[in-house]
Amino acid sequence: MTVTTPAGFRSAGITVGLKSTGKPDLALVVNDGPAPASAVVFTSNRAQANPILWSRKVAQNGPARAVILNSGGANCFTGDFGYETTRLTAEAVAHELAAQATGEEQVPADTVEEGAERVLVCSTGLIGTGDQAFRDKIVTNVPVLVSALAADDTTAPAAILTTDSVEKTAIHEGTGWTIGAMAKGAGMLAPGLATMLVVITTDALLDSDELDAALRRATAVSFDRLDSDGCMSTNDQVTLLASGSSGVAPEENEFAAALAGVCDSLAAQLQADAEGASHDIDIEVRGAASVEDALEVGRSVARNNLFKAAIFGNDPNWGRVLAAIGTTDAAFDPYAVDVSFNGVRLCHAGAPDRPIDECDLTPRKTHVEIELFAGSFAATVRTNDLTHDYVHENSAYSS
Amino acid sequence: MTVTTPAGFRSAGITVGLKSTGKPDLALVVNDGPAPASAVVFTSNRAQANPILWSRKVAQNGPARAVILNSGGANCFTGDFGYETTRLTAEAVAHELAAQATGEEQVPADTVEEGAERVLVCSTGLIGTGDQAFRDKIVTNVPVLVSALAADDTTAPAAILTTDSVEKTAIHEGTGWTIGAMAKGAGMLAPGLATMLVVITTDALLDSDELDAALRRATAVSFDRLDSDGCMSTNDQVTLLASGSSGVAPEENEFAAALAGVCDSLAAQLQADAEGASHDIDIEVRGAASVEDALEVGRSVARNNLFKAAIFGNDPNWGRVLAAIGTTDAAFDPYAVDVSFNGVRLCHAGAPDRPIDECDLTPRKTHVEIELFAGSFAATVRTNDLTHDYVHENSAYSS
């Protein structure tokens, strides 16, 4: 169990034929708790998919009741028809949840309409996919999905995957309350969120403002510091739902730290499963004049293709690190910087230091440390190497 | 002949053993004209190689007399020793030119020192390379290089190449005056200049201010719009030398247009020889609210690895274009944009348009047109695709 580990939630995952592989592709998480609250963070890309446009409105309407997620199609740049598909999907969920609750198949139209305004929608897959067949497969199968909802469900995490090779889940056990989470994402990982969909649930008793503050703090230091390939998605959404079912109101900082831990775990899982990667690279920037400077420096390296290709070749090419960070506006002297790979300082004070053959880059886990000597702030940016498999996976299929 | 096509110049290229391949690696261009003038544009990277640090000072000292260029080592982040190597290189050139002019091997120390301050130095190759052996090979061979200088030389262009597969040269014939040029560059191609060294000569009669204005105009619309892999170099330098030997002072706009044409030709040659590329992609952005917006939009696509990998796979993935441009601050409505590949409009008004199988991406030359419907400005950014060969070349060797 993941998103149903906290009390007050049901979930389900089914197969409706959106993926050519025949794998599960439609998931639903429902908040049945006595004190529902929610917070959502969206992609900062201006090119936004229809489910993002819809969910942004839902997020304004008060606590979300449910989130439905499909893989196998992004429903992005699919025109007015695509937006209508999203609305019909949310209405179908609202209808079926109401019918299930009352035992009556007939549900008043205004109940459906109002209920739909509390249903978040997430989609992931190929941009431009969202035709009549896509709509029909989702909308006509919502009754099956709702009837599959269970408080001990284990099927939802698989149904949101695309090119992911493994399910990503995380759980935190608090004192009398818990957090559960599931995520998908294996490419287009960039700050401002990635091609990731994340649903996090908790039975803690917190209001939506408290959830929102904690979620923004957590994503800022986890998903926003993951930059696998520099490409920002149109469909990213991180949803946090609280049921209040535990009756326990955790201290604000305790909950925020726990949530940050869950998000950090998911971010590490996303990094470890990035498309085609052979190295998970943590770029630790120290001695920065500000956190912002540390992040700018870290991201300039994370997005440098020559650096990323060198790591693939197990080449600790510190010159490419310096060439990358020299493009930033961060405060530091390029000739005073130290650069270490996996603990071996290869560049010191603008000149070569230890011999590069002392550095072993064969382990998948790679640590690059950049000491700027410009202040006392630090940040770590996660990225991956640039590999033949990355090129293959992103050229041989459309996504 | 290239840089010696204009009257008043001599050049030479020799082999001194800097490259493991044994190919030519040291070149010299000398301005013997009656009215020498010069202009130089440098990399905007803050991480700058020793020859850049040296040449920036030279550029302040009045018209440059000569430019010496080596491949096989960048002399970047090589400490004070590396800077001293650059100074000794320039002094050796000054000494030998003075000795050649007077026929006396003894040259006064102040003549050498003052002469060196008119000698530009360019280096290209692996960052961190610049030890005693590197210095010795260059400095001890300067006499050989100077004695090889010829007004009908054809050997200089080959001596500046690194991973380039072909020499890059361009010539413009004006009315009574000419421009000649040579360039190297096959990777790290990015705005603010690329891993490129360029020497342009002219026998037109122009002063250094006129050259500088024309050179900045020309590079802004040529090299600065070439973004092969988003990686900015530490060693880029574009040098323009005028001899005045023709005695003809061309009209300012006529010369500027000719120079822009030469630079555009070289930029196209750099694009066509980019490391591992299988497609030369021209991203034409139209209907922008400003040229700056058009460039920002074009560059966001040029730097999107998912887009570049798709082109390698002959996949006209317009969704990745929209996902890329949605990250910019340029003025446009993402849902009003048209995207065409090789003349086929695949996306119109936020939805799919023509079927993608109408679009043939098998030719190397690829044209992506993005109509923003936000104004009347346009710009084209040149880039390349992301290929297995790119990953191989940049991981299997250190540069």
Side-chain angles (χ1 to χ4, degrees), chain A residues 35-117:
Chain A
S38 64
V40 195
V41 174
F42 299 98
T43 179
S44 54
N45 199 321
R46 293 164 58 201
Q48 304 192 340
N50 286 305
I52 297 289
L53 299 175
W54 171 267
S55 295
R56 281 187 180 279
K57 290 185 184 173
V58 170
Q60 305 297 321
N61 293 337
R65 173 82 195 280
V67 51
I68 181 169
L69 314 92
N70 77 271
S71 50
N75 194 12
C76 180
F77 292 110
T78 47
D80 294 338
F81 182 87
Y83 188 79
E84 186 68 4
T85 295
T86 298
R87 193 180 61 77
L88 291 171
T89 301
E91 288 185 357
V93 171
H95 182 280
E96 290 306 307
L97 288 177
Q100 191 181 58
T102 61
E104 299 281 343
E105 183 53 33
Q106 292 295 323
V107 179
D110 57 347
T111 301
V112 170
E113 191 177 333
E114 288 168 18
E117 289 170 0

Side-chain angles (χ1 to χ4, degrees), chain B residues 16-94:
Chain B
V16 304
L18 298 173
K19 290 174 174 169
S20 58
T21 58
K23 289 187 176 174
D25 45 21
L26 193 63
L28 180 64
V29 181
V30 175
N31 186 350
D32 298 315
S38 64
V40 195
V41 175
F42 299 98
T43 179
S44 54
N45 199 322
R46 292 164 57 201
Q48 303 192 341
N50 285 306
I52 296 290
L53 299 176
W54 171 267
S55 296
R56 282 187 179 279
K57 291 185 184 172
V58 171
Q60 304 298 320
N61 293 337
R65 174 83 196 278
V67 52
I68 181 168
L69 314 92
N70 77 272
S71 49
N75 195 9
C76 180
F77 292 110
T78 46
D80 294 339
F81 183 87
Y83 187 79
E84 186 67 6
T85 296
T86 299
R87 192 181 60 77
L88 291 171
T89 302
E91 287 185 358
V93 171

Side-chain angles (χ1 to χ4, degrees), chain B residues 235-257:
Chain B
N235 287 59
D236 295 332
Q237 188 168 327
V238 178
T239 302
L240 172 59
L241 302 172
S243 66
S245 295
S246 71
V248 178
E251 192 271 323
E252 183 182 341
N253 281 329
E254 182 190 359
F255 180 78

Side-chain angles (χ1 to χ4, degrees), chain B residues 358-373:
Chain B
E358 288 185 7
C359 180
D360 179 14
L361 288 191
T362 54
R364 181 176 176 103
K365 200 80 186 162
T366 307
H367 183 236
V368 177
E369 186 179 322
I370 304 166
E371 170 59 66
L372 298 179
F373 294 108

Side-chain angles (χ1 to χ4, degrees), chain B residues 55-140:
Chain B
S55 296
R56 282 187 179 279
K57 291 185 184 172
V58 171
Q60 304 298 320
N61 293 337
R65 174 83 196 278
V67 52
I68 181 168
L69 314 92
N70 77 272
S71 49
N75 195 9
C76 180
F77 292 110
T78 46
D80 294 339
F81 183 87
Y83 187 79
E84 186 67 6
T85 296
T86 299
R87 192 181 60 77
L88 291 171
T89 302
E91 287 185 358
V93 171
H95 181 282
E96 289 306 307
L97 288 176
Q100 190 180 59
T102 61
E104 300 280 345
E105 185 51 34
Q106 292 295 325
V107 180
D110 58 344
T111 302
V112 171
E113 190 177 335
E114 289 169 16
E117 290 170 358
R118 301 297 177 99
V119 178
L120 298 162
V121 181
C122 300
S123 299
T124 182
L126 180 63
I127 293 173
T129 299
D131 60 7
Q132 184 71 49
F134 172 89
R135 176 192 288 183
D136 291 345
K137 286 172 184 171
I138 293 174
V139 174
T140 63

Side-chain angles (χ1 to χ4, degrees), chain B residues 6 9 60 82 90 97 100 116 141 144 148 166 173 189 201 208 221 226 260 272 302 352 380:
Chain B
F9 292 94
Q60 304 298 320
L97 288 176
Q100 190 180 59
N141 280 296
V144 182
V166 294
E173 297 278 355
L189 301 174
T201 56
S208 292
V221 296
L226 172 64
T380 297

